[in-house]
Amino acid sequence: MINERDIAQQAGVPLATWRRRDAPGFRQRVRPLFDSRVLIYDQAQAHAFLNGQPIPPLPTEPHPDDLLNDEEAAALLGVTPSTVRAYASQNYLPRGTTVYSLRLWTRKDIETRRDTPPRQGQGGGRPLGTSGPHKAHAYEGDPRLRIAAEALTTSPDTPRTHLAAALAEQHGSSTRTWERLLAQAARTSAE
């Protein structure tokens, strides 16, 4: 992998000159590897462009050593990109490799996580079965749940964060508690 600064350096010109003179033609022929603000290209394709050779195609078949950004990893795992980053910071995924300020993971690591989710004894949470009284949800029987449901009904287009802030100011408790109550009220009404 290579970025535009290193391509300009290999071409022997300042980055500003390369971006003005060469980058438009380069970008038409060579696509970035990732859809992100950080432009990274395949080194073999960049080398071919600099040497006036035909641009070799990228492999089309997935390979275990392919490097994936957070969006591609998220698509494989069925989660959001922020969840992928959180998994890496909490050691549910390997930390990944940083290339030109972009964190990347191997396809093999992501597929391993996807195919072997956490189980009990490996970060999977509470043991099977329940102990003590069990509620259907954390706010079962809470009178604030009715207030949250009414707020959702009367203001369906208002963002939940705004509703939660208004309810917290009017009825007390934290904004985050009201966000949870609103989420539970929405789930309860959908059931």
Side-chain angles (χ1 to χ4, degrees):
M1 286 187 251
I2 190 167
N3 70 0
E4 291 187 355
R5 178 177 307 279
D6 290 343
I7 294 169
Q9 185 177 11
Q10 285 185 9
V13 296
L15 178 60
T17 302
W18 187 84
R19 282 188 175 153
R20 183 182 68 251
R21 186 183 70 192
D22 303 318
F26 175 80
R27 291 178 188 148
Q28 284 181 347
R29 297 191 54 213
V30 180
R31 296 276 161 233
L33 294 174
F34 305 102
D35 186 23
S36 74
R37 63 177 178 73
V38 180
L39 297 176
I40 300 175
Y41 302 92
D42 179 73
Q43 189 142 7
Q45 288 185 330
H47 182 74
F49 177 85
L50 290 174
N51 293 316
Q53 300 168 342
I55 307 295
L58 293 174
T60 56
E61 293 299 315
H63 188 275
D65 294 332
D66 288 344
L67 292 175
L68 309 175
N69 66 4
D70 56 357
E71 291 178 4
E72 294 167 326
L76 275 176
L77 292 172
V79 298
T80 64
S82 63
T83 300
V84 171
R85 294 187 300 273
Y87 281 174
S89 67
Q90 297 166 0
N91 294 324
Y92 290 120
L93 273 177
R95 290 253 183 234
T97 303
T98 302
V99 178
Y100 296 114
S101 76
L102 189 64
R103 192 184 301 182
L104 306 170
W105 294 268
T106 63
R107 178 178 300 279
K108 177 178 65 180
D109 287 341
I110 299 302
E111 288 176 345
T112 298
R113 168 66 186 187
R114 180 196 63 198
D115 297 339
T116 55
R119 298 177 305 279
Q120 181 179 340
Q122 297 179 356
R126 210 179 262 207
L128 296 175
T130 58
S131 60
H134 180 69
K135 291 183 174 183
H137 55 79
Y139 295 104
E140 183 178 313
D142 191 320
R144 297 174 296 179
L145 199 55
R146 182 184 49 78
I147 297 169
E150 288 173 7
L152 287 171
T153 303
T154 58
S155 304
D157 296 331
T158 304
R160 284 191 191 167
T161 54
H162 296 180
L163 280 176
L167 291 169
E169 188 174 316
Q170 185 178 0
H171 299 286
S173 297
S174 71
T175 302
R176 183 64 185 126
T177 297
W178 281 104
E179 287 174 356
R180 290 182 183 120
L181 285 161
L182 288 166
Q184 185 58 52
R187 281 193 297 272
T188 303
S189 68
E191 293 174 354

